[in-house]
């Protein structure tokens, strides 16, 4: 798993100061712990963080973190901002090729069954799958439109006039098969969303639609929502922490 965590979090700087979002305190624990408490039970044993802003603070936290003995945490640091696609290209250089790769944004959380996501990906036969979550208000996000075979047919830009309308959005979690990994490695552009996905053949991306809580704490308002959400998720975090040394 590659976790993209290189952004500066400018919209929430007034709340967090210089603290990177991956270390944002949520109900008494850094978001990093909540994230791992989600990934570890799903079977992820090697998580690589693609870092930029405040990379050394995150590296220190990774080294000091209480975690299960069979969980490996690595970091790759970009020398300059590379965007999501560039950060993935850099991170992939340190990972074995020839196997499927999971990638996720490090500043959002979807309360999803990751085993189900992977099973749907395998069943589809697609080289790329994207987790798509239904939200009640799509005005803050770009909408993802799927056809009746759950293939992506459109990425719609943010539309403030869509306030109050529900729809599917990109949850920022992907699975890439080896051929898709190579296409991304050979591609140009900094954004996986705008510079890579949009260049793929029609219907190349399989969308896995789910209905689940989606937490994006990029603004002060959504950060408060995240506080409440993770306060209710303490049993999950407690189970994870019990197997940490």
């Amino acid at each position: 798993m590659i976790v993209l965590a290189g952004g500066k979090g400018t919209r929430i700087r007034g709340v967090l100061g210089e603290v990177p979002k991956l270390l944002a305190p949520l109900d008494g624990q850094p978001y990093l712990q909540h994230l791992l408490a989600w990934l570890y039970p799903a079977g992820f044993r090697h998580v690589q963080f693609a870092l930029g802003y405040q990379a050394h603070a995150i590296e220190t936290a990774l080294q000091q973190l209480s975690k299960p003995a069979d969980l490996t945490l690595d970091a790759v640091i970009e020398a300059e901002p590379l965007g999501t696609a560039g950060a993935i290209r850099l991170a992939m250089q340190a990972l074995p090729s020839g196997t499927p790769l999971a990638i996720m944004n490090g500043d959002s959380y979807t309360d999803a069954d990751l085993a189900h996501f992977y099973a749907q990906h395998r069943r589809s036969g697609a080289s790329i799958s994207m987790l798509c979550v239904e939200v009640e208000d799509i005005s803050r996000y770009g909408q993802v439109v799927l056809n009746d075979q759950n293939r992506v047919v459109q990425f719609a830009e943010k539309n403030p006039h869509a306030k109050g309308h529900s729809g599917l959005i990109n949850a920022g979690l992907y699975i890439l098969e080896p051929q898709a990994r190579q296409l991304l490695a050979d591609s140009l552009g900094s954004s996986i969303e705008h510079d890579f996905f949009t260049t793929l053949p029609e219907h190349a991306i399989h969308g896995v639609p789910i209905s689940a809580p989606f937490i994006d704490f990029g603004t002060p308002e959504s950060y408060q929502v995240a506080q409440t959400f993770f306060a209710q998720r303490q049993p999950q975090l407690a189970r994870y922490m019990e197997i940490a040394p």
Side-chain angles (χ1 to χ4, degrees), residues 97-197:
S97 60
T99 59
L101 176 65
I103 302 165
M104 69 170 294
N105 292 336
D107 59 357
S108 60
Y109 179 100
T110 309
D111 198 17
D113 182 342
L114 296 179
H116 170 77
F117 175 46
Y118 185 68
Q120 292 298 311
H121 164 72
R122 297 293 294 174
R123 189 173 294 116
S124 74
S127 61
I128 301 177
S129 285
M130 170 189 295
L131 189 67
C132 301
V133 62
E134 185 175 1
V135 297
E136 294 181 356
D137 184 355
I138 61 171
S139 61
R140 281 186 57 203
Y141 313 96
Q143 186 177 9
V144 178
V145 181
L146 306 180
N147 64 15
D148 54 4
Q149 281 82 46
N150 283 341
R151 296 296 173 127
V152 175
V153 296
Q154 183 184 6
F155 293 104
E157 295 296 328
K158 294 179 183 179
N159 180 6
H161 300 294
K163 189 172 181 62
H165 292 272
S166 63
L168 291 173
I169 65 169
N170 174 4
L173 181 57
Y174 320 109
I175 298 174
L176 276 63
E177 291 294 327
Q179 60 268 39
R181 289 180 58 172
Q182 190 59 51
L183 284 175
L184 178 56
D186 295 339
S187 69
L188 301 175
S190 61
S191 169
I192 189 174
E193 298 88 351
H194 300 293
D195 299 320
F196 178 62
F197 289 156

